[in-house]
Amino acid sequence: MRVKLIAHTPEPEKLVAAAAKNCYSSTDVDSVLEGLTEEKTARFVQMLSEIGHESPIEHVSFTFAIEGVSRSLLAQITRHRMASFSVQSQRYVREHGFEYVVPPAIDKLPEAREQFIRAMEDDQRTYEALTAALMEGYLEELRAQGIPDAQARGQAEKRAIEDARYVLPNACTTRIVMTANARSLANFFRLRCCERAQWEIRALAEEMYRLVYAVAPTLFGRCGPACVDGPCTEGKMCCGKAAAVRAHYQQLRAQK
């Protein structure tokens, strides 16, 4: 898994403070911005967090490049509708020797790992065989329509991989560009940094949190799973590890 913060709103905390202060100020925007020193900005953002005034944090956004994650993770992360996603297409990108994610529980058992890798290799062979068979069929049709050979081959391959991709596994890796505002990210961290989240998306959420915390520590200072800044919200499904989770996030924030 590789995660990079490739863009974000400049001076995100100052913008959040200005947006919030604008709600209560009779002066113009320029005057609001001029009065926001670093200390005042931090104090204002902290106050917003304490009183639960969350709408101003929607004005700042963060964009991530995410690579080496599985299609299984993709199915989970796109459920977070208050974000924008651009995903590598299996319709247009042929999966030559596709990479895949091996779950840790499988990876640590030699026999299970062997079976898993064998399944991936079988999927690759099936994918290539289907692509080849479909290409031949489409190529014949396109040539019969009088389409030049080079153009026909390009069209045939595109159609072939569009259908052959159905045999590719959830483990197959993909690449995502994701943009979300700070409020949506806070919700994402609350749900996906939790110990009950699936291991892969939890690892991604933690890395994303580490990256945005380095940019805006006051804005994201109370973020993470619910138990980091209050009681667990999982009820009877609670993992019972709140103290360890809090210690983990203290360590994570100290790495800034």
Side-chain angles (χ1 to χ4, degrees), residues 60-76:
V60 299
S61 64
F62 299 79
T63 299
F64 305 86
I66 304 166
E67 299 179 283
V69 294
S70 70
R71 287 266 162 175
S72 178
L73 180 144
L74 176 65
Q76 296 180 73

Side-chain angles (χ1 to χ4, degrees), residues 123 126-132 134 159-168:
D123 283 344
T126 303
Y127 173 79
E128 295 294 352
L130 280 172
T131 298
L134 288 166
R159 293 185 189 180
I161 65 176
E162 186 173 55
D163 290 336
R165 65 183 170 142
Y166 278 80
V167 301
L168 293 172

Side-chain angles (χ1 to χ4, degrees), residues 13-208:
E13 296 184 336
K14 186 174 183 179
L15 178 55
V16 168
K21 195 172 181 182
N22 180 65
C23 299
Y24 310 106
S25 177
S26 59
T27 62
D28 57 35
V29 174
D30 288 337
S31 299
V32 169
L33 286 168
E34 287 173 6
L36 283 172
T37 63
E38 187 174 336
E39 183 181 348
K40 287 182 179 178
T41 293
R43 191 162 62 241
F44 213 94
V45 172
Q46 180 67 32
M47 182 195 70
L48 291 176
S49 178
E50 290 172 353
I51 66 176
H53 188 185
E54 297 181 338
S55 60
I57 71 175
E58 294 178 10
H59 291 291
V60 299
S61 64
F62 299 79
T63 299
F64 305 86
I66 304 166
E67 299 179 283
V69 294
S70 70
R71 287 266 162 175
S72 178
L73 180 144
L74 176 65
Q76 296 180 73
I77 200 169
T78 50
R79 292 174 189 155
H80 293 269
R81 293 181 295 277
M82 299 303 290
S84 300
F85 302 93
S86 296
V87 182
Q88 183 183 39
S89 174
Q90 288 182 333
R91 291 183 64 200
Y92 295 95
V93 180
R94 186 165 177 173
E95 294 285 5
H96 289 292
F98 66 82
E99 295 182 356
Y100 49 86
V101 174
V102 182
I106 292 176
D107 195 41
K108 70 181 182 181
L109 298 173
E111 184 178 347
R113 176 181 171 81
E114 184 181 337
Q115 291 178 333
F116 186 87
I117 292 174
R118 188 160 56 245
M120 297 300 103
E121 292 171 346
D122 286 346
D123 283 344
Q124 181 70 68
R125 283 191 291 269
T126 303
Y127 173 79
E128 295 294 352
L130 280 172
T131 298
L134 288 166
M135 273 192 69
E136 284 301 314
Y138 285 128
L139 196 55
E140 185 177 337
E141 290 179 15
L142 293 167
R143 282 170 173 164
Q145 296 170 23
I147 296 175
D149 193 69
Q151 184 180 348
R153 285 186 178 279
Q155 291 184 22
E157 182 180 36
K158 188 269 176 184
R159 293 185 189 180
I161 65 176
E162 186 173 55
D163 290 336
R165 65 183 170 142
Y166 278 80
V167 301
L168 293 172
N170 273 338
C172 187
T173 60
T174 190
R175 188 168 63 245
I176 307 167
V177 173
M178 172 185 174
T179 300
N181 68 51
R183 189 178 190 180
S184 294
L185 283 173
N187 177 65
F188 176 72
F189 297 145
R190 185 180 184 86
L191 297 173
R192 301 301 187 171
C193 289
C194 176
E195 283 291 305
R196 292 196 61 242
Q198 189 257 356
W199 65 269
E200 188 182 15
I201 199 168
R202 185 172 70 247
L204 171 62
E206 282 195 3
E207 181 60 14
M208 290 169 64

Side-chain angles (χ1 to χ4, degrees), residues 222-233:
R222 296 167 68 106
C223 290
C227 64
V228 167
D229 191 53
C232 175
T233 56

